């Protein structure tokens, strides 16, 4: 879609007013400019195709849905360009109706065929209404067009639509009424403020979410209406007034009546002259969502704890029962092998082979037990557990791992230690399976009051975005474990460019978890 350019409105210069009259003049002009800008922003979200024309009978504006429908640019539509999209047979009738409307300065309605972006002509019901300046002088027309191709086939449906459109058009005859209608349809809380952070307009949802009375808040300072706004939000407002667009997916707001969580976006709006006239605040109260997320986090934590308990139980069963029984079986087979060796029977060789396979199975069971639950992690600490795992992994997979670590703090919490150990296991498993290389590096260190774990390879890599959308549980498990402990994990990989997994935990967080 081509960029839509705005038409600059040029008016007759007037002598500046004096005293209170000058203040009212500036305020009125500012409100008009704010209203026009806000109208254009909200008109682009309207379900109908909206157009405007001036006293010279030329089109001056169409909204974004109109441009999306025709597939043309704003420059192609304004002036008399809009007629090129109308069916040739309908152009004379459209121009006659338009001319008559200007003659009588009365509302008109017409149906014509308009070419859609795919080349198909669609029947449009277009209703135009005259608009007037504040001094009641005629300013042109504003209209709304709706696709009624299917509805033309059902006269009853069409009559109902006509009545609805007539009622809607009656409400769109002034800029103020138009603004109110669009604001009410905005699904999130919206506030429009001037450069002094005074309210120019607010949506119903904004008033509902933040217990604001529109009649009392318009013209009032944002900081007077909400004195408990965090100081860094004020800095965000200042940056937006300088031209930045800022947003936060979730932000905490500690108020007198409790804590609220907000998703917000702040962006500047500009006057017709191109200057920044103020800011728009789009805010959504996500406190309920946050509560549900915290409940889900608690459930996920319990599931992981239950999983670890089950891992420990299975690991102990494998080590204390299965592995011991296999070891005894290997000893008995060795005794049988020795007793048959003196007879020179081939059976002795066969029993020896069975004993070797039994010893291998015993080793594999012990390795599996260590993967499920590392006693070294519990009794010797994270560094020793990781070294032991890397050594066993190298022997089992016939790979090389360059493991390095510096001295970690003694107060590293068991929760974070277990999380880092599980991430190491999963990352090395994935690397050995998918990277296509046999050498990996592991770095565990404390740096700038943070615990860092990095696992790297120089293999074939993968598409991270595609992996996120897959059904594999490996990446999901790593991300969820780190998220539950408020750490961060970054997975960087590109096809044929290797892969790195980097996990970070604040050292202070580890202290807090341990003391808790």
């Amino acid at each position: 879609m081509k960029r839509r350019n705005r038409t600059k409105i040029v008016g007759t210069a007037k002598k500046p007013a004096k005293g209170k009259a000058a203040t009212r003049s500036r305020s009125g002009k500012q409100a008009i400019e704010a209203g026009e800008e806000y109208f254009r922003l909200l008109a682009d979200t309207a379900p109908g195709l909206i157009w405007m024309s001036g006293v010279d009978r030329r089109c001056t504006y169409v909204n974004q849905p109109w441009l999306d429908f025709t597939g043309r640019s704003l420059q192609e539509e304004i002036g008399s360009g809009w007629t090129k999209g109308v069916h040739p047979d309908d152009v004379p009738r459209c121009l006659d109706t338009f001319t008559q409307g200007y003659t009588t300065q009365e509302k008109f309605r017409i149906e014509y065929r308009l070419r859609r972006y795919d080349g198909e002509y669609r029947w449009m019901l277009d209703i135009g209404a005259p608009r007037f300046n504040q001094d009641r002088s005629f300013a042109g027309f504003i209209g709304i067009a709706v696709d009624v191709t299917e509805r033309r086939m059902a006269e009853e449906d069409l009559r109902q639509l006509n009545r609805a459109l007539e009622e809607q058009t009656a409400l769109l005859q002034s800029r103020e009424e138009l603004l109110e209608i669009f604001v009410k349809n905005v699904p999130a809380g919206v506030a429009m403020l001037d450069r002094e952070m005074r309210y120019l307009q607010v949506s119903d949802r904004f008033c509902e979410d933040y217990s604001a009375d529109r009649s009392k808040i318009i013209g009032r300072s944002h900081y007077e209406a909400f004195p408990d706004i965090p100081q860094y939000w004020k800095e965000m407002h200042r940056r937006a007034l300088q031209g930045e667009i800022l947003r936060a997916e979730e932000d905490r707001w500690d108020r007198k009546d409790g804590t609220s969580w907000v998703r917000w976006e702040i962006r500047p709006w500009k006057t017709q002259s191109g200057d920044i006239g103020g800011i728009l605040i789009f805010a959504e109260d996500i406190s309920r969502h946050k509560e549900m997320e915290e409940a889900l986090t608690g459930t996920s934590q319990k599931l992981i704890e239950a999983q670890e308990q089950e891992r420990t139980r299975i690991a102990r069963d494998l080590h204390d029962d299965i592995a011991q029984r296999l070891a005894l079986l290997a000893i008995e087979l060795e005794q049988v092998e020795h007793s048959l060796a003196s007879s020179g029977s081939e059976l002795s060789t066969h029993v020896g082979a069975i004993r070797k396979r039994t010893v291998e199975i015993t080793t594999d069971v012990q390795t599996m037990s260590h993967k499920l639950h590392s006693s070294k992690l519990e009794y010797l600490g994270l560094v020793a557990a990781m070294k032991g795992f890397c050594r066993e992994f190298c022997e089992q997979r016939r790979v090389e791992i360059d493991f390095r670590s510096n001295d970690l703090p003694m107060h590293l919490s068991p929760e974070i230690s277990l999380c880092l150990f599980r991430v190491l296991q999963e990352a090395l498993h994935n690397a050995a399976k998918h990277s296509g290389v046999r050498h990996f590096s592991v770095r565990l260190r404390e740096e700038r009051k943070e615990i860092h774990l990095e696992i790297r390879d120089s293999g074939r890599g993968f598409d991270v975005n595609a992996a996120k959308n897959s059904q594999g549980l490996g990446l999901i498990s790593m991300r969820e474990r780190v998220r539950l402990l408020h750490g961060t994990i970054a997975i960087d990989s590109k096809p044929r460019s290797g892969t790195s997994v980097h996990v970070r935990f604040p050292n202070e967080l580890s202290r807090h978890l341990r003391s808790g």
Side-chain angles (χ1 to χ4, degrees):
M1 181 60 60
K2 299 179 180 178
R3 172 176 285 183
R4 176 169 59 86
N5 296 322
R6 302 191 182 279
T7 302
K8 184 173 181 180
I9 299 175
V10 180
T12 304
K14 295 183 179 181
K15 294 182 178 180
K18 297 181 179 180
K20 295 182 178 180
T23 302
R24 287 196 297 269
S25 176
R26 289 193 298 272
S27 179
K29 180 180 178 182
Q30 189 177 47
I32 290 173
E33 291 176 337
E36 289 181 352
E37 177 66 16
Y38 200 53
F39 160 72
R40 292 174 184 272
L41 287 173
L42 295 177
D44 285 347
T45 66
L49 279 58
I50 294 175
W51 57 269
M52 292 180 66
S53 63
V55 294
D56 58 355
R57 305 185 183 183
R58 297 173 63 83
C59 178
T60 60
Y61 169 76
V62 293
N63 67 346
Q64 190 61 40
W66 183 293
L67 300 179
D68 294 340
F69 184 92
T70 63
R72 287 151 54 88
S73 68
L74 180 63
Q75 290 80 6
E76 292 174 306
E77 294 289 357
I78 60 176
S80 60
W82 62 272
T83 59
K84 296 180 181 179
V86 178
H87 194 285
D89 294 343
D90 298 338
V91 171
R93 185 163 47 85
C94 287
L95 293 177
D96 289 343
T97 303
F98 198 46
T99 300
Q100 185 178 358
Y102 265 84
T103 301
T104 61
Q105 295 184 6
E106 294 180 351
K107 180 175 64 178
F108 65 81
R109 183 177 66 194
I110 185 173
E111 292 184 11
Y112 58 88
R113 286 163 288 182
L114 184 63
R115 187 172 62 243
R116 199 167 58 183
Y117 62 88
D118 57 4
E120 179 185 351
Y121 281 98
R122 305 287 292 180
W123 277 100
M124 309 300 294
L125 173 60
D126 200 333
I127 297 179
R131 56 192 184 90
F132 300 91
N133 297 316
Q134 289 184 346
D135 61 0
R136 303 308 298 167
S137 61
F138 179 63
F141 272 85
I142 180 172
I144 180 169
V146 178
D147 187 335
V148 293
T149 304
E150 286 77 15
R151 294 175 185 173
R152 278 176 61 91
M153 302 177 184
E155 291 298 328
E156 180 60 29
D157 290 343
L158 181 58
R159 284 193 293 270
Q160 293 178 2
L161 179 62
N162 287 342
R163 287 194 295 269
L165 288 174
E166 289 174 351
E167 293 174 358
Q168 183 178 7
T169 304
L171 294 174
L172 299 181
Q173 293 185 5
S174 70
R175 183 180 293 114
E176 291 78 13
E177 292 172 346
L178 178 72
L179 187 59
E180 288 184 10
I181 290 173
F182 283 126
V183 166
K184 289 180 183 296
N185 290 321
V186 176
V190 181
M192 188 174 192
L193 302 99
D194 63 16
R195 292 194 61 86
E196 304 301 324
M197 293 300 292
R198 293 187 297 252
Y199 286 97
L200 300 176
Q201 187 56 267
V202 291
S203 68
D204 287 351
R205 180 64 180 273
F206 185 91
C207 294
E208 179 183 347
D209 284 350
Y210 305 107
S211 303
D213 186 335
R214 180 186 281 105
S215 63
K216 295 180 180 180
I217 201 172
I218 298 299
R220 190 180 179 190
S221 167
H222 184 51
Y223 304 133
E224 290 179 1
F226 299 102
D228 52 3
I229 283 178
Q231 186 63 36
Y232 73 94
W233 280 10
K234 296 181 180 180
E235 174 62 18
M236 299 299 104
H237 300 156
R238 186 190 64 79
R239 290 169 58 184
L241 286 170
Q242 293 180 350
E244 289 189 58
I245 297 176
L246 306 137
R247 59 179 61 87
E249 286 302 312
E250 61 176 40
D251 208 345
R252 179 170 177 154
W253 184 8
D254 293 318
R255 309 186 65 183
K256 293 181 179 179
D257 54 352
T259 298
S260 298
W261 288 89
V262 183
R263 177 187 293 117
W264 54 260
E265 178 175 319
I266 306 174
R267 58 173 59 232
W269 61 266
K270 295 183 179 181
T271 64
Q272 290 294 332
S273 62
D275 298 326
I276 295 177
I279 63 172
L280 286 169
I281 298 177
F282 299 85
E284 179 184 1
D285 190 328
I286 59 170
S287 301
R288 182 80 175 270
H289 172 77
K290 189 69 177 178
E291 291 174 0
M292 296 174 62
E293 187 180 76
E294 290 176 353
L296 180 60
T297 296
T299 302
S300 298
Q301 183 67 49
K302 291 179 181 178
L303 288 174
I304 288 179
E305 291 174 358
Q307 181 189 53
E308 289 298 332
Q309 292 174 2
E310 188 65 11
R311 280 173 176 256
T312 302
R313 185 189 66 79
I314 295 174
R316 287 173 178 169
D317 288 347
L318 288 174
H319 184 274
D320 298 342
D321 185 14
I322 306 299
Q324 297 299 325
R325 288 160 63 185
L326 286 171
L328 290 174
L329 177 60
I331 293 173
E332 292 175 0
L333 288 171
E334 184 179 14
Q335 293 174 350
V336 173
E337 180 185 7
H338 288 162
S339 64
L340 293 174
S342 58
S343 65
S345 171
E346 294 182 359
L347 184 59
S348 174
T349 303
H350 184 62
V351 170
I354 295 175
R355 179 185 62 80
K356 290 181 180 179
R357 288 199 296 272
T358 303
V359 172
E360 291 174 355
I361 293 172
T362 303
T363 302
D364 291 342
V365 170
Q366 290 175 337
T367 300
M368 186 182 301
S369 173
H370 293 162
K371 287 182 179 179
L372 289 170
H373 176 71
S374 173
S375 56
K376 290 182 180 179
L377 180 64
E378 184 176 354
Y379 296 108
L380 301 180
L382 181 61
V383 175
M386 284 190 170
K387 284 183 179 178
F389 175 78
C390 289
R391 183 170 54 254
E392 293 175 1
F393 193 84
C394 289
E395 294 173 355
Q396 183 183 14
R397 297 297 186 95
R398 293 183 174 84
V399 297
E400 295 180 0
I401 298 176
D402 179 14
F403 178 87
R404 299 182 188 180
S405 68
N406 62 9
D407 294 332
L408 294 182
M410 296 299 295
H411 53 259
L412 193 63
S413 74
E415 294 89 350
I416 290 180
S417 296
L418 179 59
C419 176
L420 292 172
F421 185 75
R422 293 299 185 211
V423 170
L424 173 69
Q425 287 181 309
E426 185 62 37
L428 286 178
H429 173 78
N430 289 340
K433 184 177 180 181
H434 301 293
S435 70
V437 296
R438 315 307 296 169
H439 181 82
F440 314 105
S441 69
V442 177
R443 300 290 182 267
L444 178 66
R445 67 185 188 279
E446 181 184 25
E447 182 180 300
R448 296 178 181 177
K449 297 183 178 181
E450 287 186 330
I451 307 298
H452 295 259
L453 171 64
E454 294 181 77
I455 304 99
R456 297 179 179 271
D457 68 70
S458 57
R460 60 174 62 99
F462 62 95
D463 188 328
V464 176
N465 291 328
K468 287 180 181 178
N469 298 325
S470 69
Q471 299 300 317
L473 296 178
L475 293 179
I476 295 175
S477 175
M478 287 194 294
R479 292 181 185 278
E480 184 66 9
R481 283 179 177 274
V482 174
R483 184 188 70 82
L484 288 173
L485 293 176
H486 308 292
T488 60
I489 179 170
I491 301 175
D492 184 19
S493 182
K494 294 180 180 179
R496 298 181 297 279
S497 298
T499 301
S500 69
V501 178
H502 185 187
V503 180
R504 293 186 301 171
F505 283 105
N507 203 354
E508 292 296 327
L509 174 62
S510 181
R511 260 191 216 101
H512 173 71
L513 289 173
R514 188 174 183 86
S515 63

